[in-house]
Short mmCIF file of all heavy atoms in Angstrom, two decimals:
data_model
loop_
_atom_site.label_atom_id
_atom_site.label_comp_id
_atom_site.label_asym_id
_atom_site.label_seq_id
_atom_site.Cartn_x
_atom_site.Cartn_y
_atom_site.Cartn_z
N SER A 1 -221.81 2.04 122.69
CA SER A 1 -223.14 1.45 122.56
C SER A 1 -223.66 0.86 123.86
O SER A 1 -224.81 0.41 123.93
CB SER A 1 -223.14 0.38 121.46
OG SER A 1 -222.96 0.98 120.19
N ALA A 2 -222.82 0.84 124.89
CA ALA A 2 -223.26 0.44 126.23
C ALA A 2 -223.49 1.67 127.10
O ALA A 2 -223.64 1.55 128.31
CB ALA A 2 -222.22 -0.47 126.88
N THR A 3 -223.53 2.86 126.46
CA THR A 3 -223.76 4.11 127.16
C THR A 3 -224.84 4.90 126.41
O THR A 3 -225.38 4.43 125.42
CB THR A 3 -222.48 4.96 127.24
OG1 THR A 3 -222.24 5.58 125.97
CG2 THR A 3 -221.28 4.11 127.64
N ASP A 4 -225.08 6.12 126.87
CA ASP A 4 -226.06 6.96 126.19
C ASP A 4 -225.48 7.65 124.96
O ASP A 4 -226.14 8.50 124.36
CB ASP A 4 -226.63 8.01 127.15
CG ASP A 4 -225.57 8.93 127.74
OD1 ASP A 4 -224.37 8.64 127.59
OD2 ASP A 4 -225.95 9.94 128.36
N GLU A 5 -224.28 7.29 124.55
CA GLU A 5 -223.69 7.85 123.34
C GLU A 5 -224.25 7.22 122.07
O GLU A 5 -224.27 7.88 121.03
CB GLU A 5 -222.17 7.65 123.33
CG GLU A 5 -221.41 8.50 124.32
CD GLU A 5 -219.92 8.32 124.20
OE1 GLU A 5 -219.46 7.18 123.95
OE2 GLU A 5 -219.20 9.31 124.37
N ALA A 6 -224.67 5.96 122.14
CA ALA A 6 -224.95 5.26 120.89
C ALA A 6 -225.83 4.03 121.11
O ALA A 6 -226.00 3.55 122.23
CB ALA A 6 -223.64 4.84 120.21
N GLU A 7 -226.32 3.52 119.99
CA GLU A 7 -227.03 2.24 119.92
C GLU A 7 -226.33 1.39 118.87
O GLU A 7 -226.01 1.87 117.77
CB GLU A 7 -228.49 2.45 119.51
CG GLU A 7 -229.24 1.20 119.12
CD GLU A 7 -229.58 0.29 120.29
OE1 GLU A 7 -229.19 0.60 121.43
OE2 GLU A 7 -230.25 -0.75 120.07
N HIS A 8 -226.06 0.13 119.21
CA HIS A 8 -225.48 -0.78 118.22
C HIS A 8 -226.61 -1.39 117.40
O HIS A 8 -227.57 -1.92 117.94
CB HIS A 8 -224.66 -1.88 118.91
CG HIS A 8 -223.81 -2.66 117.96
ND1 HIS A 8 -222.76 -2.09 117.27
CD2 HIS A 8 -223.87 -3.95 117.55
CE1 HIS A 8 -222.19 -3.01 116.51
NE2 HIS A 8 -222.85 -4.13 116.65
N THR A 9 -226.46 -1.31 116.08
CA THR A 9 -227.55 -1.71 115.20
C THR A 9 -227.89 -3.19 115.33
O THR A 9 -229.06 -3.56 115.32
CB THR A 9 -227.16 -1.38 113.74
OG1 THR A 9 -226.86 0.01 113.64
CG2 THR A 9 -228.30 -1.73 112.80
N LEU A 10 -226.88 -4.02 115.45
CA LEU A 10 -227.12 -5.46 115.52
C LEU A 10 -227.64 -5.83 116.91
O LEU A 10 -226.90 -5.79 117.89
CB LEU A 10 -225.83 -6.23 115.22
CG LEU A 10 -225.94 -7.75 115.11
CD1 LEU A 10 -226.85 -8.14 113.95
CD2 LEU A 10 -224.56 -8.37 114.94
N GLU A 11 -228.90 -6.19 116.97
CA GLU A 11 -229.54 -6.43 118.28
C GLU A 11 -229.02 -7.67 118.97
O GLU A 11 -229.16 -7.81 120.18
CB GLU A 11 -231.05 -6.51 118.10
CG GLU A 11 -231.67 -5.18 117.68
CD GLU A 11 -233.19 -5.25 117.62
OE1 GLU A 11 -233.75 -6.32 117.90
OE2 GLU A 11 -233.79 -4.22 117.28
N THR A 12 -228.43 -8.60 118.22
CA THR A 12 -227.92 -9.83 118.83
C THR A 12 -226.53 -9.66 119.43
O THR A 12 -226.02 -10.60 120.05
CB THR A 12 -227.89 -10.96 117.79
OG1 THR A 12 -227.09 -10.55 116.67
CG2 THR A 12 -229.30 -11.31 117.31
N SER A 13 -225.90 -8.50 119.26
CA SER A 13 -224.59 -8.28 119.85
C SER A 13 -224.69 -8.31 121.37
O SER A 13 -225.63 -7.79 121.96
CB SER A 13 -224.01 -6.94 119.41
OG SER A 13 -222.84 -6.62 120.14
N ASN A 14 -223.69 -8.88 122.00
CA ASN A 14 -223.68 -8.97 123.46
C ASN A 14 -223.63 -7.62 124.15
O ASN A 14 -223.93 -7.51 125.34
CB ASN A 14 -222.50 -9.82 123.93
CG ASN A 14 -222.74 -11.30 123.76
OD1 ASN A 14 -223.87 -11.76 123.81
ND2 ASN A 14 -221.68 -12.07 123.53
N VAL A 15 -223.26 -6.56 123.42
CA VAL A 15 -223.23 -5.24 124.04
C VAL A 15 -224.61 -4.83 124.53
O VAL A 15 -224.75 -4.05 125.48
CB VAL A 15 -222.66 -4.19 123.05
CG1 VAL A 15 -223.69 -3.81 121.99
CG2 VAL A 15 -222.18 -2.94 123.80
N GLN A 16 -225.67 -5.40 123.91
CA GLN A 16 -227.03 -5.05 124.30
C GLN A 16 -227.36 -5.50 125.73
O GLN A 16 -228.28 -4.95 126.35
CB GLN A 16 -228.04 -5.68 123.33
CG GLN A 16 -227.84 -5.29 121.87
CD GLN A 16 -228.18 -3.85 121.56
OE1 GLN A 16 -228.50 -3.06 122.45
NE2 GLN A 16 -228.10 -3.47 120.29
N LYS A 17 -226.59 -6.45 126.25
CA LYS A 17 -226.86 -6.91 127.62
C LYS A 17 -226.66 -5.80 128.64
O LYS A 17 -227.33 -5.77 129.67
CB LYS A 17 -225.98 -8.11 127.94
CG LYS A 17 -226.32 -9.35 127.12
CD LYS A 17 -225.40 -10.53 127.42
CE LYS A 17 -225.80 -11.73 126.55
NZ LYS A 17 -224.92 -12.89 126.80
N PHE A 18 -225.74 -4.87 128.35
CA PHE A 18 -225.57 -3.73 129.25
C PHE A 18 -226.81 -2.85 129.25
O PHE A 18 -227.17 -2.26 130.28
CB PHE A 18 -224.34 -2.91 128.84
CG PHE A 18 -223.04 -3.53 129.23
CD1 PHE A 18 -222.22 -4.13 128.28
CD2 PHE A 18 -222.61 -3.53 130.55
CE1 PHE A 18 -221.01 -4.70 128.64
CE2 PHE A 18 -221.41 -4.09 130.93
CZ PHE A 18 -220.60 -4.69 129.97
N ASN A 19 -227.47 -2.75 128.12
CA ASN A 19 -228.61 -1.85 128.00
C ASN A 19 -229.89 -2.45 128.56
O ASN A 19 -230.78 -1.73 129.00
CB ASN A 19 -228.80 -1.47 126.53
CG ASN A 19 -227.53 -0.87 125.94
OD1 ASN A 19 -226.79 -0.17 126.64
ND2 ASN A 19 -227.26 -1.15 124.68
N THR A 20 -229.99 -3.77 128.54
CA THR A 20 -231.17 -4.44 129.08
C THR A 20 -230.98 -4.85 130.54
O THR A 20 -231.93 -5.31 131.18
CB THR A 20 -231.50 -5.69 128.25
OG1 THR A 20 -230.39 -6.60 128.30
CG2 THR A 20 -231.79 -5.33 126.80
N GLY A 21 -229.77 -4.69 131.05
CA GLY A 21 -229.48 -5.07 132.43
C GLY A 21 -229.33 -6.56 132.62
O GLY A 21 -229.40 -7.07 133.75
N SER A 22 -229.07 -7.30 131.54
CA SER A 22 -229.03 -8.77 131.62
C SER A 22 -227.61 -9.30 131.67
O SER A 22 -227.30 -10.37 131.14
CB SER A 22 -229.76 -9.38 130.42
OG SER A 22 -229.22 -8.92 129.20
N TRP A 23 -226.71 -8.55 132.32
CA TRP A 23 -225.34 -9.01 132.50
C TRP A 23 -225.09 -9.28 133.97
O TRP A 23 -225.79 -8.74 134.83
CB TRP A 23 -224.34 -8.00 131.94
CG TRP A 23 -224.45 -6.61 132.49
CD1 TRP A 23 -225.47 -5.73 132.33
CD2 TRP A 23 -223.48 -5.94 133.31
NE1 TRP A 23 -225.21 -4.55 132.99
CE2 TRP A 23 -224.00 -4.64 133.58
CE3 TRP A 23 -222.23 -6.29 133.80
CZ2 TRP A 23 -223.30 -3.70 134.35
CZ3 TRP A 23 -221.54 -5.35 134.56
CH2 TRP A 23 -222.06 -4.08 134.82
N ASN A 24 -224.13 -10.11 134.26
CA ASN A 24 -223.89 -10.52 135.65
C ASN A 24 -222.49 -11.09 135.80
O ASN A 24 -221.67 -10.98 134.87
CB ASN A 24 -224.95 -11.54 136.08
CG ASN A 24 -225.06 -12.71 135.10
OD1 ASN A 24 -224.07 -13.33 134.75
ND2 ASN A 24 -226.29 -12.98 134.64
N ALA A 25 -222.22 -11.68 136.95
CA ALA A 25 -220.87 -12.19 137.24
C ALA A 25 -220.48 -13.37 136.37
O ALA A 25 -219.29 -13.65 136.21
CB ALA A 25 -220.78 -12.58 138.72
N ILE A 26 -221.46 -14.06 135.81
CA ILE A 26 -221.18 -15.19 134.93
C ILE A 26 -221.07 -14.73 133.49
O ILE A 26 -220.27 -15.25 132.72
CB ILE A 26 -222.28 -16.26 135.08
CG1 ILE A 26 -222.28 -16.81 136.52
CG2 ILE A 26 -222.08 -17.39 134.08
CD1 ILE A 26 -223.43 -17.75 136.80
N ASP A 27 -221.87 -13.76 133.12
CA ASP A 27 -221.95 -13.32 131.73
C ASP A 27 -221.78 -11.80 131.67
O ASP A 27 -222.74 -11.04 131.77
CB ASP A 27 -223.30 -13.73 131.14
CG ASP A 27 -223.41 -13.39 129.66
OD1 ASP A 27 -222.40 -12.98 129.07
OD2 ASP A 27 -224.51 -13.56 129.10
N ASN A 28 -220.52 -11.35 131.54
CA ASN A 28 -220.20 -9.94 131.41
C ASN A 28 -219.54 -9.73 130.05
O ASN A 28 -218.42 -10.18 129.83
CB ASN A 28 -219.26 -9.50 132.53
CG ASN A 28 -218.86 -8.03 132.44
OD1 ASN A 28 -219.15 -7.35 131.46
ND2 ASN A 28 -218.17 -7.54 133.46
N PRO A 29 -220.20 -9.04 129.12
CA PRO A 29 -219.65 -8.89 127.78
C PRO A 29 -218.33 -8.12 127.73
O PRO A 29 -217.63 -8.18 126.73
CB PRO A 29 -220.75 -8.12 127.03
CG PRO A 29 -222.00 -8.38 127.80
CD PRO A 29 -221.57 -8.49 129.22
N ASP A 30 -218.01 -7.39 128.79
CA ASP A 30 -216.76 -6.62 128.85
C ASP A 30 -215.84 -7.18 129.92
O ASP A 30 -215.11 -6.45 130.58
CB ASP A 30 -217.08 -5.14 129.12
CG ASP A 30 -215.85 -4.24 128.98
OD1 ASP A 30 -215.07 -4.44 128.03
OD2 ASP A 30 -215.68 -3.34 129.81
N ASN A 31 -215.85 -8.49 130.08
CA ASN A 31 -215.03 -9.12 131.12
C ASN A 31 -213.58 -9.19 130.64
O ASN A 31 -213.19 -10.09 129.90
CB ASN A 31 -215.55 -10.52 131.43
CG ASN A 31 -214.71 -11.22 132.49
OD1 ASN A 31 -213.91 -10.58 133.18
ND2 ASN A 31 -214.87 -12.51 132.61
N LEU A 32 -212.78 -8.22 131.08
CA LEU A 32 -211.38 -8.16 130.68
C LEU A 32 -210.44 -8.51 131.84
O LEU A 32 -209.25 -8.20 131.79
CB LEU A 32 -211.06 -6.77 130.14
CG LEU A 32 -211.82 -6.36 128.87
CD1 LEU A 32 -211.49 -4.93 128.47
CD2 LEU A 32 -211.52 -7.31 127.72
#
């Protein structure tokens, strides 16, 4: 859902930050 494969239905999920470009060094939803 952070790629062109899919869309996550729940708009409040943090995965949407990848799609809107609103992720950064402080807030990365995939910070592993």
Side-chain angles (χ1 to χ4, degrees):
S1 292
T3 76
D4 60 348
E5 289 183 323
E7 167 73 357
H8 192 65
T9 303
L10 186 63
E11 293 184 0
T12 57
S13 170
N14 282 331
V15 76
Q16 303 290 5
K17 293 178 180 179
F18 283 106
N19 304 325
T20 61
S22 57
W23 56 293
N24 52 51
I26 297 173
D27 185 7
N28 179 351
D30 188 42
N31 179 14
L32 297 177

